Amino acid sequence: MKKFLSLVLAGIVLGLPMIAQEEDYRYTRDWLGNGSYEVAENVPATRVPKTLAEAVQLLPALPTADELCFQSSLSTAATTAASYKAAIEQAELNAIQNDALIRARMEAARNKRAQKNQRAMQQYNSNVNAGLMPSQQEMMALYMSGEINERMSDAQMMDVMAGKFAAKWGVSKEEYLKIINLAQKNEKQAEAYLKSNHPELYQRLYAANAGYDAQNDSEDPRDERFGEITAEIQSIGDEFNQILLADNGYGQLLDQLRKEWLSSAESKEIEAIEKNLWSRVEGWIPTLKTTAGLVPYPEWWTADRKRENALIDQWNKRVAPRWLKMAQDSERQIKSAYEKLAKLEAENEQLAAQGEADNYIYLTNKQLLNGYMHQLIRLIQPYDDALRFPFIEHVEETGSAILGKG
C-alpha cells in the first residue's frame, strides 16, 4: 500500500510540469486594455452650437498620444468630450424644434408660390386674350413642328418666337426683339420707348396687365444659386454617407496589437522580471522572523515592479500613435464634410437676407442643413474612438506577504 501511494504521489509530481505546459501560463497575456475609460459625473455642457460652423468651432481637439496612455489623463480627455456631447445633445433637441418651424415656413411659402403661379397664369391668359402673347396651343404647335426644341438657347427660342408673333404687336421682328431686350434691361426705359414710339401697343399692353404687379410675379434671381446650393448639399451628403459606411479598422488593429504585445520585447522582459521576482520572494519569506500577519515586500520588489511599469509606458507610447492616427484620419474626413456644409449654410442665409425671406428653395436648403444638426454626434465619434485605445495599465508597485501560523 505504501509503495502504491508513493507511485501515485510521484505521478502527480511528474504531471505538474505537463499541466503547466499545456496551460502556457503567461503573466502578461491579458494585459491589453478593453478600451474603457472613466468620465466624471454631472459634467456641464459647453456652449450649445446654433449653426454647423459653431459645432465645428467648438469641437475639442483630439487627445495626444501620450494622453491616451494613462488613466488620469484619459479621464480628463473623456470629461472634455462629455462636455461637448452634453452641448450637442441640446443642439439636436433644438434641431427637432427647428424642423417644425422650417416645415411651417415651407408650407406657407408653398401656398404663396401656388397663389403667385395662379396669378401669373391669369396674367398670361389676359395677354393671350388681348392677342399680345402666343397661346399654349400655339407654343405647342411650334414644339411639335420642331422649330423650337429643348436643345436651343433662350436667345434662339426668342428669335424664332419673334418671327412668329411680332405681328401680334403690329411690329417687325427686329422691333419686337428690341422692345423685349430693352424690357429685360430696364423696364422704365422700355415703357417710355413704347409710349413714344408705339402708343397704341402701349395702351394694349397696359390694359391687358392692369392690376398685375410685374415685379412680384417675376422670378427670384436668387433661385439659380439656391438650386446650386441644394445640389452641393446633396453631393456632400453622398460623400458623408460613404465616410460613415467605411470600415474604421479599429477591430483589426486591436487584434494586431494583441499579437504584437505577446511577442514584444517589453512583454518578454516583464515576464523575465516577474519570474525572477517571485523566485526571490520564495527565498525571502523563510527569512522573516514573524509567523503571522502582513509583511510589506522589500524595496527590491518595488524596484522590479517600477521597471515593469517603465516597460509598460514604453509599449503604450510606442503604439498609441498608430491608434490615434486612425482617429485623426476619421476626424479629418468628417470635419471636412461639416466645414463644407457650414460654408453652404452661411451662404444660404446670406442669400436669404438679400430678398424675400421665405424663398421655398432657401427653406429646402435650410431643412437639409438642419438634418446635419441632428447628426452632430458624428463629429465627436473619432474622439470617442481615440479614447478607446487599449492601453496597458500599470502594475502595483507595493504589496505585502500574508503569513499565517504554520
Side-chain angles (χ1 to χ4, degrees), residues 98 162 203 207 222 227 243 253 263 299 304 310 319 324 327 359 391:
N98 289 337
Q203 289 298 328
R222 302 169 300 167
I243 293 170
L253 179 56
S263 62
E299 291 182 3
D304 276 356
V319 301
L324 181 60
N359 178 288
F391 73 100

Side-chain angles (χ1 to χ4, degrees), residues 129-142:
N129 294 335
L132 294 167
M133 288 185 70
S135 66
Q136 290 181 320
Q137 290 79 6
E138 289 173 308
M139 289 298 298
M140 182 60 68
L142 278 179

Side-chain angles (χ1 to χ4, degrees), residues 152-404:
M152 298 172 69
S153 66
D154 290 345
Q156 289 174 322
M157 287 187 181
M158 183 57 69
D159 186 72
V160 173
M161 290 175 62
K164 295 289 182 181
F165 304 120
K168 289 179 178 288
W169 284 15
V171 297
S172 67
K173 173 183 175 181
E174 291 72 22
E175 187 70 358
Y176 180 91
L177 288 171
K178 180 179 180 179
I179 295 169
I180 292 295
N181 290 331
L182 189 59
Q184 289 175 339
K185 295 176 182 177
N186 191 311
E187 262 189 52
K188 289 186 177 180
Q189 285 185 9
E191 186 177 351
Y193 181 83
L194 283 168
K195 281 183 180 180
S196 176
N197 296 280
H198 303 283
E200 183 180 347
L201 175 59
Y202 173 79
Q203 289 298 328
R204 290 174 63 201
L205 287 168
Y206 180 83
N209 292 279
Y212 296 103
D213 188 339
Q215 185 175 359
N216 288 341
D217 290 339
S218 63
E219 291 186 5
D220 192 326
R222 302 169 300 167
D223 281 355
E224 182 177 359
R225 181 54 193 154
F226 276 136
E228 291 171 350
I229 291 175
T230 305
E232 289 177 37
I233 294 171
Q234 292 170 338
S235 177
I236 296 169
D238 293 338
E239 172 190 332
F240 187 68
N241 289 334
Q242 290 301 314
I243 293 170
L244 298 182
L245 290 172
D247 180 11
N248 57 30
Y250 286 104
Q252 183 179 353
L253 179 56
L254 179 60
D255 291 340
Q256 187 176 340
L257 290 179
R258 292 192 189 282
K259 294 175 183 177
E260 290 181 16
W261 165 246
L262 291 176
S263 62
S264 69
E266 290 90 349
S267 174
K268 290 177 181 178
E269 190 171 347
I270 289 171
E271 290 287 347
I273 293 172
E274 195 69 11
K275 182 178 180 181
N276 180 67
L277 183 61
W278 289 108
S279 178
R280 292 184 69 181
V281 168
E282 289 178 8
W284 166 71
I285 288 178
T287 67
L288 299 177
K289 303 294 184 182
T290 181
T291 57
L294 295 176
V295 180
Y297 289 130
E299 291 182 3
W300 47 260
W301 193 92
T302 296
D304 276 356
R305 281 300 181 90
K306 285 184 176 180
R307 285 173 59 200
E308 291 183 18
N309 283 334
L311 290 164
I312 289 171
D313 290 344
Q314 181 176 297
W315 159 267
N316 284 337
K317 291 181 179 181
R318 181 156 55 85
V319 301
R322 290 163 60 189
W323 189 274
L324 181 60
K325 185 180 183 304
M326 297 185 71
Q328 291 169 333
D329 291 344
S330 179
E331 185 192 65
R332 182 171 57 254
Q333 294 179 61
I334 295 173
K335 193 174 177 181
S336 174
Y338 264 90
E339 286 172 341
K340 292 175 187 175
L341 290 166
K343 287 181 180 179
L344 292 175
E345 180 184 50
E347 185 181 358
N348 198 53
E349 294 300 327
Q350 289 166 1
L351 273 177
Q354 295 172 17
E356 184 181 355
D358 281 353
N359 178 288
Y360 189 81
I361 311 176
Y362 153 70
L363 292 171
T364 299
N365 294 340
K366 193 174 182 68
Q367 186 181 49
L368 289 172
L369 291 163
N370 192 57
Y372 288 93
M373 291 295 288
H374 289 281
Q375 301 185 63
L376 290 181
I377 194 66
R378 304 293 189 181
L379 270 172
I380 197 67
Q381 186 59 54
Y383 197 115
D384 266 349
D385 292 335
L387 292 177
R388 298 191 184 282
F389 169 58
F391 73 100
I392 296 175
E393 295 191 53
H394 279 181
V395 295
E396 293 292 337
E397 294 182 351
T398 59
S400 302
I402 305 174
L403 303 181

Side-chain angles (χ1 to χ4, degrees), residues 23-35:
E23 290 179 352
D24 189 24
Y25 171 76
R26 287 191 62 168
Y27 174 60
T28 61
R29 174 171 292 281
D30 298 319
W31 277 17
L32 211 67
N34 58 10

